[in-house]
Amino acid sequence: MDLSKKRLFLLDLDGTIYLEDSLLPGAAEFLEDVRAHGSAVRYLTNNSSRGVDAGLEKMRRLGIPAEREEFLTAVEATVHYLRTSRPAGEAYFAVGTASFCRQLRQAGFDIRETPDDDVGAVLVGFDTELTYRKVEDACRLLCRGVDFLATNPDLACPTLYGFMPDCGSICTMLQGAAGREPHYIGKPDPNMIRLALEQTGCAQSEALMVGDRLYTDIACGVNAGVDTALVLTGEATAADAAVSPTPPTAIYQDMAVLLAAIREARR
């Protein structure tokens, strides 16, 4: 992999750029450097608990300049999937935050908060406002036979204290209760990367996917045919990468070490 040829950096956020409200080592310097050299940045996040506006506000609060068009989220991927792959006018029971439901309604979808007879699918996101009532209603619908959709398979979201259950863990609970497997929409599906390549006009060989999860971030890059870099600041370890069915092209301790490798490659 020739890092000097990369001009599109596809970056995960949680566990890669920051943990909660703390920037990870080298993240700010990395972003400043690649922008100064004319490279494009796209933030690819499976976090569906908040919208792009919240993501923008957080980055700016952390002192990182960011633009709306740089964010490609699981919600946007979900909107695209629902518009292109599901029946028009279908009703969805959402297991997600108020922000998640609001974004879907603003996109024109019929989002329900009760297990109505005309609901066509259960749609699960990273729900930091999860209640047992939502779980029970989702199971009622799944046992009835409606479709099971989810924004992403991430099992854990990294925090300063360790990890908290993400969308994949919620789905595992529902799967265990209802005996149904979900269709996952976000990473590792390659559509977010394909959209980023289209937006920037970059070739696959010019892109680098950087993330902390093997089965979402790195697998997404592999599925899209781009080089990948695993950073060890979140979920995965080097030992995990050694046995992964989708190993990364390279492994770096953090964004600071990746930046040093890019600078060395430019010489």
Side-chain angles (χ1 to χ4, degrees):
M1 175 173 64
D2 186 353
L3 289 173
S4 69
K5 303 297 184 184
K6 303 302 180 185
R7 63 186 189 95
L8 171 60
F9 293 91
L10 307 156
L11 307 173
D12 177 55
L13 289 171
D14 294 302
T16 301
I17 299 298
Y18 54 67
L19 279 178
E20 295 186 0
D21 288 322
S22 299
L23 283 172
L24 286 163
E29 295 81 2
F30 174 90
L31 291 166
E32 181 180 3
D33 183 275
V34 296
R35 291 183 195 281
H37 283 81
S39 296
V41 169
R42 289 294 183 272
Y43 301 110
L44 275 58
T45 175
N46 269 349
N47 192 331
S48 61
S49 66
R50 56 182 182 264
V52 172
D53 287 341
L56 275 168
E57 191 278 330
K58 180 168 185 174
M59 293 294 277
R60 290 167 181 168
R61 188 171 71 249
L62 292 171
I64 303 297
E67 302 297 333
R68 174 176 293 274
E69 61 268 20
E70 292 177 333
F71 285 81
L72 294 172
T73 72
V75 177
E76 292 175 304
T78 298
V79 167
H80 176 75
Y81 174 81
L82 297 182
R83 283 177 175 164
T84 58
S85 302
R86 301 294 302 181
E90 186 171 38
Y92 301 93
F93 177 79
V95 179
T97 61
S99 173
F100 177 59
C101 295
R102 182 171 58 254
Q103 291 176 78
L104 292 173
R105 288 189 177 109
Q106 289 173 345
F109 298 106
D110 184 358
I111 302 300
R112 307 291 179 84
E113 297 179 3
T114 53
D116 303 326
D117 289 342
D118 61 339
V119 167
V122 170
L123 178 57
V124 181
F126 175 29
D127 191 356
T128 56
E129 300 158 8
L130 185 66
T131 65
Y132 195 83
R133 180 59 182 269
K134 290 183 189 179
V135 173
E136 185 179 15
D137 286 344
C139 286
R140 182 176 287 110
L141 287 164
L142 292 173
C143 290
R144 190 188 300 167
V146 306
D147 291 341
F148 189 5
L149 309 175
T151 60
N152 60 289
D154 302 50
L155 294 171
C157 180
T159 70
L160 290 173
Y161 62 77
F163 298 94
M164 64 183 294
D166 207 320
C167 178
S169 290
I170 297 172
C171 290
T172 297
M173 175 173 58
L174 293 173
Q175 183 177 341
R180 301 282 305 284
E181 294 187 13
H183 170 77
Y184 290 111
I185 298 167
K187 295 179 292 185
D189 185 276
N191 279 329
M192 276 195 277
I193 290 182
R194 290 171 180 164
L195 180 57
L197 293 172
E198 181 180 322
Q199 288 176 347
T200 59
C202 291
Q204 290 167 298
S205 61
E206 296 174 307
L208 180 67
M209 177 71 218
V210 185
D212 69 298
R213 285 189 179 92
L214 291 159
Y215 59 92
T216 56
D217 303 324
I218 302 306
C220 184
V222 172
N223 292 340
V226 304
D227 286 328
T228 58
L230 177 70
V231 288
L232 304 179
T233 46
E235 182 175 314
T237 66
D240 295 331
V243 296
S244 172
T246 53
T249 310
I251 301 174
Y252 302 93
Q253 185 62 39
D254 52 32
M255 298 298 286
V257 178
L258 172 57
L259 175 58
I262 291 172
R263 287 172 168 167
E264 180 64 27
R266 292 189 190 124
R267 294 179 181 174

mmCIF file of all heavy atoms in Angstrom, residues 9 21 34 52-53 57 60 67 69 82 100 102 110 117 126 130 143 150 170 173 205 214 225 234 236 241-242 251 256:
data_model
loop_
_atom_site.group_PDB
_atom_site.id
_atom_site.type_symbol
_atom_site.label_atom_id
_atom_site.label_comp_id
_atom_site.label_asym_id
_atom_site.label_seq_id
_atom_site.Cartn_x
_atom_site.Cartn_y
_atom_site.Cartn_z
ATOM 1 N N PHE A 9 -9.696 9.945 2.523
ATOM 2 C CA PHE A 9 -9.619 9.226 3.788
ATOM 3 C C PHE A 9 -11.028 9.034 4.337
ATOM 4 O O PHE A 9 -11.732 9.998 4.640
ATOM 5 C CB PHE A 9 -8.713 9.974 4.769
ATOM 6 C CG PHE A 9 -7.277 9.990 4.335
ATOM 7 C CD1 PHE A 9 -6.782 11.021 3.542
ATOM 8 C CD2 PHE A 9 -6.432 8.943 4.678
ATOM 9 C CE1 PHE A 9 -5.458 11.017 3.116
ATOM 10 C CE2 PHE A 9 -5.108 8.932 4.260
ATOM 11 C CZ PHE A 9 -4.620 9.965 3.466
ATOM 12 N N ASP A 21 -16.269 12.566 24.504
ATOM 13 C CA ASP A 21 -15.914 13.963 24.224
ATOM 14 C C ASP A 21 -14.415 14.213 24.273
ATOM 15 O O ASP A 21 -13.964 15.338 24.534
ATOM 16 C CB ASP A 21 -16.629 14.898 25.215
ATOM 17 C CG ASP A 21 -18.123 15.000 24.922
ATOM 18 O OD1 ASP A 21 -18.481 15.021 23.731
ATOM 19 O OD2 ASP A 21 -18.910 15.037 25.873
ATOM 20 N N VAL A 34 -3.837 16.090 6.408
ATOM 21 C CA VAL A 34 -4.340 15.569 5.132
ATOM 22 C C VAL A 34 -5.116 16.643 4.378
ATOM 23 O O VAL A 34 -5.077 16.698 3.140
ATOM 24 C CB VAL A 34 -5.184 14.291 5.330
ATOM 25 C CG1 VAL A 34 -4.329 13.168 5.899
ATOM 26 C CG2 VAL A 34 -6.423 14.532 6.176
ATOM 27 N N VAL A 52 -26.643 14.370 11.509
ATOM 28 C CA VAL A 52 -25.452 15.062 11.009
ATOM 29 C C VAL A 52 -25.219 16.366 11.764
ATOM 30 O O VAL A 52 -24.082 16.727 12.065
ATOM 31 C CB VAL A 52 -25.572 15.310 9.493
ATOM 32 C CG1 VAL A 52 -24.429 16.189 8.999
ATOM 33 C CG2 VAL A 52 -25.574 13.987 8.731
ATOM 34 N N ASP A 53 -26.301 17.096 12.084
ATOM 35 C CA ASP A 53 -26.142 18.357 12.812
ATOM 36 C C ASP A 53 -25.442 18.135 14.144
ATOM 37 O O ASP A 53 -24.563 18.908 14.533
ATOM 38 C CB ASP A 53 -27.506 19.014 13.040
ATOM 39 C CG ASP A 53 -28.077 19.618 11.767
ATOM 40 O OD1 ASP A 53 -27.292 19.850 10.829
ATOM 41 O OD2 ASP A 53 -29.292 19.861 11.714
ATOM 42 N N GLU A 57 -21.798 19.572 15.255
ATOM 43 C CA GLU A 57 -21.627 20.338 16.484
ATOM 44 C C GLU A 57 -20.558 19.712 17.363
ATOM 45 O O GLU A 57 -19.735 20.409 17.964
ATOM 46 C CB GLU A 57 -22.971 20.406 17.220
ATOM 47 C CG GLU A 57 -23.002 21.396 18.378
ATOM 48 C CD GLU A 57 -22.398 20.829 19.661
ATOM 49 O OE1 GLU A 57 -22.477 19.600 19.861
ATOM 50 O OE2 GLU A 57 -21.826 21.606 20.451
ATOM 51 N N ARG A 60 -17.015 20.361 15.919
ATOM 52 C CA ARG A 60 -16.610 21.751 16.140
ATOM 53 C C ARG A 60 -16.326 22.011 17.606
ATOM 54 O O ARG A 60 -15.428 22.784 17.942
ATOM 55 C CB ARG A 60 -17.690 22.677 15.590
ATOM 56 C CG ARG A 60 -17.745 22.637 14.064
ATOM 57 C CD ARG A 60 -18.972 23.292 13.494
ATOM 58 N NE ARG A 60 -18.974 23.197 12.030
ATOM 59 C CZ ARG A 60 -20.014 23.481 11.263
ATOM 60 N NH1 ARG A 60 -21.149 23.889 11.813
ATOM 61 N NH2 ARG A 60 -19.929 23.366 9.951
ATOM 62 N N GLU A 67 -17.541 19.802 7.571
ATOM 63 C CA GLU A 67 -18.629 20.265 6.720
ATOM 64 C C GLU A 67 -19.695 19.177 6.621
ATOM 65 O O GLU A 67 -19.402 17.981 6.731
ATOM 66 C CB GLU A 67 -18.107 20.608 5.320
ATOM 67 C CG GLU A 67 -17.017 21.667 5.299
ATOM 68 C CD GLU A 67 -17.480 23.015 5.820
ATOM 69 O OE1 GLU A 67 -18.688 23.297 5.711
ATOM 70 O OE2 GLU A 67 -16.638 23.772 6.329
ATOM 71 N N GLU A 69 -21.299 17.929 4.133
ATOM 72 C CA GLU A 69 -21.146 16.949 3.063
ATOM 73 C C GLU A 69 -20.076 15.901 3.364
ATOM 74 O O GLU A 69 -19.961 14.898 2.653
ATOM 75 C CB GLU A 69 -20.818 17.636 1.741
ATOM 76 C CG GLU A 69 -19.535 18.433 1.715
ATOM 77 C CD GLU A 69 -19.731 19.889 2.080
ATOM 78 O OE1 GLU A 69 -20.761 20.226 2.717
ATOM 79 O OE2 GLU A 69 -18.846 20.701 1.749
ATOM 80 N N LEU A 82 -34.204 2.291 2.214
ATOM 81 C CA LEU A 82 -35.667 2.256 2.278
ATOM 82 C C LEU A 82 -36.294 2.809 1.007
ATOM 83 O O LEU A 82 -37.326 2.306 0.535
ATOM 84 C CB LEU A 82 -36.162 3.043 3.494
ATOM 85 C CG LEU A 82 -35.744 2.517 4.878
ATOM 86 C CD1 LEU A 82 -36.353 3.366 5.984
ATOM 87 C CD2 LEU A 82 -36.110 1.053 5.063
ATOM 88 N N PHE A 100 -33.284 9.649 15.734
ATOM 89 C CA PHE A 100 -33.358 8.681 14.643
ATOM 90 C C PHE A 100 -34.746 8.702 14.000
ATOM 91 O O PHE A 100 -34.884 8.801 12.775
ATOM 92 C CB PHE A 100 -33.045 7.295 15.212
ATOM 93 C CG PHE A 100 -33.146 6.155 14.237
ATOM 94 C CD1 PHE A 100 -32.376 6.121 13.087
ATOM 95 C CD2 PHE A 100 -33.989 5.080 14.491
ATOM 96 C CE1 PHE A 100 -32.451 5.058 12.200
ATOM 97 C CE2 PHE A 100 -34.074 4.013 13.622
ATOM 98 C CZ PHE A 100 -33.309 4.009 12.470
ATOM 99 N N ARG A 102 -37.009 11.071 14.163
ATOM 100 C CA ARG A 102 -37.260 12.378 13.558
ATOM 101 C C ARG A 102 -36.607 12.491 12.181
ATOM 102 O O ARG A 102 -37.223 12.991 11.225
ATOM 103 C CB ARG A 102 -36.742 13.481 14.482
ATOM 104 C CG ARG A 102 -37.005 14.889 13.956
ATOM 105 C CD ARG A 102 -36.676 15.946 14.999
ATOM 106 N NE ARG A 102 -35.295 15.877 15.456
ATOM 107 C CZ ARG A 102 -34.906 15.406 16.640
ATOM 108 N NH1 ARG A 102 -35.804 14.952 17.500
ATOM 109 N NH2 ARG A 102 -33.634 15.407 16.983
ATOM 110 N N ASP A 110 -43.052 6.676 7.174
ATOM 111 C CA ASP A 110 -44.109 6.480 8.166
ATOM 112 C C ASP A 110 -43.537 5.679 9.325
ATOM 113 O O ASP A 110 -43.410 4.458 9.242
ATOM 114 C CB ASP A 110 -45.287 5.743 7.508
ATOM 115 C CG ASP A 110 -46.470 5.580 8.448
ATOM 116 O OD1 ASP A 110 -46.387 6.002 9.607
ATOM 117 O OD2 ASP A 110 -47.495 5.014 7.995
ATOM 118 N N ASP A 117 -51.118 -2.993 13.137
ATOM 119 C CA ASP A 117 -51.315 -4.130 12.235
ATOM 120 C C ASP A 117 -50.709 -3.906 10.857
ATOM 121 O O ASP A 117 -50.356 -4.872 10.169
ATOM 122 C CB ASP A 117 -52.814 -4.428 12.086
ATOM 123 C CG ASP A 117 -53.412 -5.020 13.352
ATOM 124 O OD1 ASP A 117 -52.639 -5.508 14.194
ATOM 125 O OD2 ASP A 117 -54.651 -4.975 13.497
ATOM 126 N N PHE A 126 -29.105 2.253 16.822
ATOM 127 C CA PHE A 126 -28.369 2.350 18.095
ATOM 128 C C PHE A 126 -29.244 3.177 19.030
ATOM 129 O O PHE A 126 -29.287 4.403 18.935
ATOM 130 C CB PHE A 126 -27.016 3.009 17.855
ATOM 131 C CG PHE A 126 -26.207 3.265 19.103
ATOM 132 C CD1 PHE A 126 -26.329 2.457 20.214
ATOM 133 C CD2 PHE A 126 -25.304 4.313 19.147
ATOM 134 C CE1 PHE A 126 -25.579 2.694 21.361
ATOM 135 C CE2 PHE A 126 -24.545 4.561 20.282
ATOM 136 C CZ PHE A 126 -24.687 3.751 21.388
ATOM 137 N N LEU A 130 -33.448 3.086 24.812
ATOM 138 C CA LEU A 130 -34.162 1.821 24.739
ATOM 139 C C LEU A 130 -34.987 1.564 26.007
ATOM 140 O O LEU A 130 -34.519 1.782 27.115
ATOM 141 C CB LEU A 130 -33.170 0.678 24.541
ATOM 142 C CG LEU A 130 -33.757 -0.722 24.318
ATOM 143 C CD1 LEU A 130 -34.511 -0.794 23.010
ATOM 144 C CD2 LEU A 130 -32.640 -1.768 24.355
ATOM 145 N N CYS A 143 -42.565 -11.746 15.757
ATOM 146 C CA CYS A 143 -43.248 -13.034 15.859
ATOM 147 C C CYS A 143 -44.471 -13.095 14.941
ATOM 148 O O CYS A 143 -44.913 -14.186 14.563
ATOM 149 C CB CYS A 143 -43.661 -13.293 17.308
ATOM 150 S SG CYS A 143 -42.268 -13.630 18.409
ATOM 151 N N ALA A 150 -32.047 -3.455 10.319
ATOM 152 C CA ALA A 150 -31.220 -2.777 11.317
ATOM 153 C C ALA A 150 -30.190 -1.909 10.626
ATOM 154 O O ALA A 150 -29.701 -2.240 9.547
ATOM 155 C CB ALA A 150 -30.534 -3.785 12.237
ATOM 156 N N ILE A 170 -28.508 -5.059 20.568
ATOM 157 C CA ILE A 170 -29.972 -4.991 20.667
ATOM 158 C C ILE A 170 -30.591 -6.026 19.734
ATOM 159 O O ILE A 170 -31.533 -6.735 20.101
ATOM 160 C CB ILE A 170 -30.468 -3.575 20.334
ATOM 161 C CG1 ILE A 170 -29.931 -2.565 21.343
ATOM 162 C CG2 ILE A 170 -32.000 -3.528 20.293
ATOM 163 C CD1 ILE A 170 -30.210 -1.122 20.990
ATOM 164 N N MET A 173 -30.360 -9.553 21.095
ATOM 165 C CA MET A 173 -31.404 -9.800 22.084
ATOM 166 C C MET A 173 -32.737 -10.123 21.397
ATOM 167 O O MET A 173 -33.411 -11.091 21.754
ATOM 168 C CB MET A 173 -31.558 -8.584 22.990
ATOM 169 C CG MET A 173 -32.695 -8.664 23.986
ATOM 170 S SD MET A 173 -32.704 -7.277 25.155
ATOM 171 C CE MET A 173 -32.805 -5.874 24.041
ATOM 172 N N SER A 205 -8.153 2.950 -5.655
ATOM 173 C CA SER A 205 -6.749 2.897 -5.259
ATOM 174 C C SER A 205 -6.308 4.151 -4.500
ATOM 175 O O SER A 205 -5.270 4.138 -3.830
ATOM 176 C CB SER A 205 -5.863 2.717 -6.490
ATOM 177 O OG SER A 205 -6.018 3.804 -7.377
ATOM 178 N N LEU A 214 -13.153 -4.529 12.996
ATOM 179 C CA LEU A 214 -12.848 -5.398 11.867
ATOM 180 C C LEU A 214 -14.095 -5.765 11.072
ATOM 181 O O LEU A 214 -14.077 -5.741 9.835
ATOM 182 C CB LEU A 214 -12.148 -6.662 12.362
ATOM 183 C CG LEU A 214 -10.734 -6.452 12.904
ATOM 184 C CD1 LEU A 214 -10.343 -7.592 13.817
ATOM 185 C CD2 LEU A 214 -9.746 -6.310 11.752
ATOM 186 N N GLY A 225 -13.447 -2.763 -2.014
ATOM 187 C CA GLY A 225 -12.231 -2.870 -2.805
ATOM 188 C C GLY A 225 -11.224 -1.775 -2.566
ATOM 189 O O GLY A 225 -10.451 -1.429 -3.464
ATOM 190 N N GLY A 234 -9.930 1.427 19.703
ATOM 191 C CA GLY A 234 -11.326 1.130 19.955
ATOM 192 C C GLY A 234 -11.550 -0.320 20.286
ATOM 193 O O GLY A 234 -11.023 -0.847 21.262
ATOM 194 N N ALA A 236 -11.143 -3.433 18.260
ATOM 195 C CA ALA A 236 -10.320 -4.565 17.807
ATOM 196 C C ALA A 236 -8.884 -4.488 18.316
ATOM 197 O O ALA A 236 -8.335 -3.413 18.569
ATOM 198 C CB ALA A 236 -10.326 -4.633 16.292
ATOM 199 N N ALA A 241 -7.184 -9.076 14.569
ATOM 200 C CA ALA A 241 -6.915 -8.902 13.141
ATOM 201 C C ALA A 241 -6.230 -10.124 12.544
ATOM 202 O O ALA A 241 -6.453 -10.468 11.380
ATOM 203 C CB ALA A 241 -6.062 -7.655 12.925
ATOM 204 N N ALA A 242 -5.410 -10.784 13.342
ATOM 205 C CA ALA A 242 -4.656 -11.938 12.846
ATOM 206 C C ALA A 242 -5.554 -13.100 12.466
ATOM 207 O O ALA A 242 -5.161 -13.938 11.644
ATOM 208 C CB ALA A 242 -3.641 -12.381 13.900
ATOM 209 N N ILE A 251 -1.988 -2.110 10.153
ATOM 210 C CA ILE A 251 -2.436 -1.843 11.514
ATOM 211 C C ILE A 251 -1.562 -0.739 12.111
ATOM 212 O O ILE A 251 -0.334 -0.762 11.964
ATOM 213 C CB ILE A 251 -2.334 -3.111 12.390
ATOM 214 C CG1 ILE A 251 -3.181 -4.246 11.807
ATOM 215 C CG2 ILE A 251 -2.778 -2.809 13.833
ATOM 216 C CD1 ILE A 251 -3.002 -5.574 12.543
ATOM 217 N N ALA A 256 -2.016 9.055 15.244
ATOM 218 C CA ALA A 256 -0.707 9.693 15.237
ATOM 219 C C ALA A 256 0.313 8.824 14.506
ATOM 220 O O ALA A 256 1.135 9.323 13.721
ATOM 221 C CB ALA A 256 -0.246 9.966 16.671
#
